Amino acid sequence: MSAMNTLKKFGLEQAFNYVYKDPDKNFIKIMDWADKFSGGGFTTQRAMIREVISNPEHPYYSFIHRLVTDIDPHVMKTLVANFFINANLAGWKKQDECREKYGCNIPWAILLDPTSACNLHCTGCWAAEYGNKLNLTYDEIDDIIRQGKELGVYMYIYTGGEPLVRKKDLIRLCEKHNDCIFLSFTNATLIDEDFANDMLRVGNFVPAISLEGFETATDGRRGNGVYQKVIKAINLLREKKLVFGISACYTSANFESITSEAFYDSLIDLGAYFIWYFHYMPVGNDAAPELLPTPAQRRETYERIRKYRATKPLFAMDFQNDAEFVGGCIAGGRRYLHINANGDIDPCVFIHYSDSNIREKTLLEALQSPMMMAYHDGQPFNDNMYRPCPMLENPQKLREMVEKSGAHSTDLQSPESAEHLCAKCDRYAENWKPVAEEMWKEDQERKAAKKGC
């Protein structure tokens, strides 16, 4: 890390030490300093933060205070320093330099599967398509991170399988790469006191716990007793003052409950700091297209999540409906890519077609491969940000990229052709298009009216 970034990190730590002495009073003073040294930048963001910390009635006032009172100070300082200084300030600058130098996408985050194994057997899990005997070795993951950091990548996200099957190796990686943030999607059933203590010690590991909704829905898909095991793990994480969030997938079957206000409020009561909502994707030969949300359900999900996160102290991201904030599809290395447990480098965690393997190519060589360059050259895949995906809303785009690049299916259990996958999305895309067009038009009209005021 450069001397300048070291100074910034030191300054950030000192600011936190100052806030911890008297949060109510010193939050405001920190903002005064931020205003003074901002150079006039980030005006909207600074005003928003000042409003939050100054107004006890603001929905996120309690959320900001929880960051100080309910999170271990070492964990808080580590996560903030690694996220803001390394993954964003230093990392983003390096990524931009590499994008310019190499003429390809450079990701902000890398998703990878340490293992395809899982201790549960959830109904319809697409990860199970890979089988349960594949693993990236510790040295392979370590090398992926080393290569990533050379490109400015400090954010690593574990998927699976169940990543915590490899929890000893994951903690070793946290220790070695203590300048990075590691987030893991997990069923949480393997989180015990020893692992929570390891998380507390390293400070840079954050679980995103998968839930299907309340107890009946979760146990119905994941197995009897799983929900209570998750609650036990959450209580342990809260006791240790650790950060955690929730991951939820909405389908035509569970949409009503999993996007309900009651469920959202229950996550706040549980002490979650974020929730990532994912749209069901019909990946795999045995996928069920009937689980794709209807246009009305998807629009209602959009309305609900935007209302909740504006009025309740829990940060939510809706990955299929929030594309406007990131300029469309972020896969193909534009902001992230996926490496499975066999080493195949996929453009997306949901799009399993590749022409590269980390055991045969460097990360940079994979980013310059025909499949990844097809993403680079084609993004955004649609000017309407409610139709961002080359599979779900623009299936012809994925067909063309796979054919042009010669990419192959990376599903080792039951290889699925791009035609088979995209055919499951054709009707969905056709039905969603008029709704998306109406929503996008309404958005543009609102923004124009606001600008004119």
Side-chain angles (χ1 to χ4, degrees):
M1 185 182 295
S2 70
M4 179 59 70
N5 288 328
T6 300
L7 285 173
K8 289 177 180 177
K9 186 175 181 180
F10 176 76
L12 195 61
E13 290 176 349
Q14 294 304 106
F16 266 100
N17 290 337
Y18 184 68
V19 167
Y20 279 118
K21 292 178 182 179
D22 188 343
D24 284 326
K25 181 174 68 176
N26 293 339
F27 263 136
I28 300 297
K29 290 187 176 180
I30 290 294
M31 278 309 304
D32 290 340
W33 292 345
D35 288 344
K36 182 177 180 180
F37 294 107
S38 67
F42 305 103
T43 305
T44 302
Q45 293 89 338
R46 286 186 286 110
M48 181 178 65
I49 294 172
R50 183 176 289 277
E51 166 64 15
V52 169
I53 63 178
S54 304
N55 179 10
E57 301 302 316
H58 195 284
Y60 279 86
Y61 181 87
S62 62
F63 184 91
I64 293 293
H65 279 259
R66 281 183 60 212
L67 300 180
V68 175
T69 60
D70 293 0
I71 298 176
D72 177 83
H74 164 65
V75 172
M76 189 66 204
K77 292 174 188 177
T78 300
L79 291 176
V80 170
N82 287 4
F83 183 78
F84 286 104
I85 302 298
N86 299 346
N88 285 288
L89 291 179
W92 194 271
K93 183 176 183 293
K94 180 66 173 177
Q95 291 159 30
D96 270 347
E97 291 172 354
C98 290
R99 291 179 191 117
E100 181 69 23
K101 180 178 180 180
Y102 299 116
C104 62
N105 282 331
I106 301 293
W108 176 77
I110 293 175
L111 278 68
L112 54 94
D113 302 348
T115 181
S116 63
C118 184
N119 61 315
L120 299 181
H121 301 283
C122 303
T123 303
C125 176
W126 63 264
E129 295 285 321
Y130 285 119
N132 61 6
K133 296 181 180 179
L134 302 175
N135 293 279
L136 293 172
T137 67
Y138 170 86
D139 288 338
E140 285 173 334
I141 300 173
D142 177 45
D143 192 53
I144 290 168
I145 298 169
R146 178 194 63 76
Q147 291 184 59
K149 288 200 290 187
E150 288 179 357
L151 298 173
V153 183
Y154 289 87
M155 183 78 180
Y156 295 86
I157 303 175
Y158 296 123
T159 55
E162 169 50 53
L164 296 194
V165 169
R166 299 280 303 282
K167 57 186 175 182
K168 290 184 178 179
D169 281 340
L170 301 191
I171 290 296
R172 286 176 64 200
L173 291 160
C174 286
E175 292 169 336
K176 182 169 183 179
H177 299 283
N178 59 9
D179 51 352
C180 295
I181 287 186
F182 297 91
L183 184 143
S184 180
F185 292 105
T186 175
N187 62 44
T189 61
L190 297 178
I191 294 177
D192 54 20
E193 185 149 14
D194 286 345
F195 186 68
N197 286 334
D198 280 338
M199 287 176 58
L200 193 62
R201 176 172 53 82
V202 296
N204 59 344
F205 187 92
V206 178
I209 299 170
S210 298
L211 281 178
E212 308 301 324
F214 294 108
E215 186 166 11
T216 300
T218 296
D219 285 2
R221 180 166 185 245
R222 298 181 177 271
N224 291 334
V226 169
Y227 184 82
Q228 288 303 322
K229 290 179 181 179
V230 170
I231 297 303
K232 181 179 179 180
I234 285 174
N235 289 335
L236 179 60
L237 294 171
R238 291 186 73 177
E239 176 189 329
K240 299 291 183 180
K241 292 195 164 188
L242 289 161
V243 177
F244 68 93
I246 303 298
S247 169
C249 175
Y250 60 94
T251 73
S252 61
N254 73 359
F255 136 83
E256 189 61 53
S257 63
I258 210 166
T259 66
S260 69
E261 190 167 13
F263 179 67
Y264 201 89
D265 287 343
S266 76
L267 302 181
I268 296 172
D269 292 340
L270 286 172
Y273 288 90
F274 62 88
I275 177 169
W276 288 11
Y277 278 101
F278 292 94
H279 185 292
Y280 174 76
M281 298 291 193
V283 177
N285 282 315
D286 296 329
E290 62 271 17
L291 289 177
L292 285 165
T294 67
Q297 289 173 332
R298 177 169 170 181
R299 176 155 193 170
E300 181 63 21
T301 297
Y302 162 90
E303 300 288 354
R304 291 182 183 187
I305 293 173
R306 295 207 174 195
K307 176 185 175 182
Y308 299 156
R309 70 181 175 203
T311 58
K312 297 175 182 290
L314 174 64
F315 178 74
M317 182 170 285
D318 178 355
F319 270 80
Q320 208 58 31
N321 292 326
D322 281 345
E324 64 179 294
F325 303 116
V326 291
C329 172
I330 61 172
R334 178 171 170 263
R335 294 293 176 262
Y336 91 97
L337 53 76
H338 172 243
I339 304 175
N340 71 18
N342 191 52
D344 298 309
I345 303 172
D346 297 325
C348 175
V349 70
F350 297 115
I351 295 180
H352 305 157
Y353 300 97
S354 177
D355 56 8
S356 303
N357 189 291
I358 200 65
R359 291 164 181 160
E360 300 168 353
K361 293 182 181 180
T362 66
L363 188 58
L364 180 57
E365 287 171 341
L367 287 162
Q368 295 173 322
S369 73
M371 186 60 175
M372 294 298 188
M373 289 305 296
Y375 266 76
H376 173 273
D377 297 341
Q379 290 164 323
F381 295 109
N382 200 302
D383 292 334
N384 183 329
M385 291 294 104
Y386 298 121
R387 301 174 59 205
C389 180
M391 175 186 75
L392 191 64
E393 296 106 354
N394 306 278
Q396 189 56 34
K397 298 287 181 72
L398 181 59
R399 287 182 174 99
E400 292 168 359
M401 289 192 293
V402 171
E403 181 178 359
K404 180 180 177 181
S405 67
H408 63 275
S409 171
T410 57
D411 186 326
L412 301 180
Q413 291 287 305
S414 180
E416 180 179 29
S417 71
E419 177 56 41
H420 186 268
L421 172 63
C422 292
K424 290 179 287 186
C425 300
D426 285 334
R427 179 174 294 181
Y428 175 94
E430 182 180 349
N431 292 339
W432 172 245
K433 181 179 178 179
V435 180
E437 294 297 332
E438 179 183 1
M439 291 171 64
W440 190 241
K441 181 181 178 182
E442 291 171 356
D443 260 12
Q444 302 314 299
E445 290 173 348
R446 276 196 299 266
K447 290 174 183 176
K450 185 176 181 181
K451 188 176 180 180
C453 292

